[in-house]
Amino acid sequence: MLADTDVRWCQQISIAFLDTGDRPVTAGTVTFGSHVIGALGIDWATLESTRPLPLPLAPGTPATGRWRVCVDAWRVPLGMHLDTRDVTFKWK
């Protein structure tokens, strides 16, 4: 789930996780690719940020991670907005 915040250079992101393996996930990160979108819909830049996963993730038990993802305010000038489109995970 993606939601805007009170500032144009941040977004609130929620992701549901489910460990389908037989051991708990005890280490990992999530990387977000946030796109800076201009007033005419042009994608000007993609900025990455990495956060820890909500650990531990127990097998078969759903968990939700929530993050406020922000970039430097000067990277999102007036009339532009942030759109986090890309998400990748790494875990052990």
Side-chain angles (χ1 to χ4, degrees), residues 4-36:
D4 291 329
T5 64
D6 55 337
V7 293
R8 68 183 176 278
W9 55 87
C10 294
Q11 286 189 306
Q12 186 70 33
I13 300 171
S14 298
I15 301 174
F17 296 94
L18 179 62
D19 178 0
T20 59
D22 57 356
R23 295 181 311 191
V25 175
T26 57
T29 58
V30 57
T31 301
F32 300 102
S34 299
H35 297 252
V36 178

Side-chain angles (χ1 to χ4, degrees), residues 40-73:
L40 299 176
I42 296 171
D43 190 338
W44 289 97
T46 302
L47 308 167
E48 287 191 352
S49 57
T50 301
R51 304 288 193 279
L53 286 173
L55 299 172
L57 296 175
T61 304
T64 301
R66 291 181 180 85
W67 301 269
R68 182 176 168 109
V69 175
C70 298
V71 300
D72 295 323

Side-chain angles (χ1 to χ4, degrees), residues 66-88:
R66 291 181 180 85
W67 301 269
R68 182 176 168 109
V69 175
C70 298
V71 300
D72 295 323
W74 65 268
R75 292 185 178 269
V76 187
L78 202 57
M80 295 182 149
H81 67 278
L82 199 62
D83 187 10
T84 302
R85 300 177 182 173
D86 309 319
V87 180
T88 57

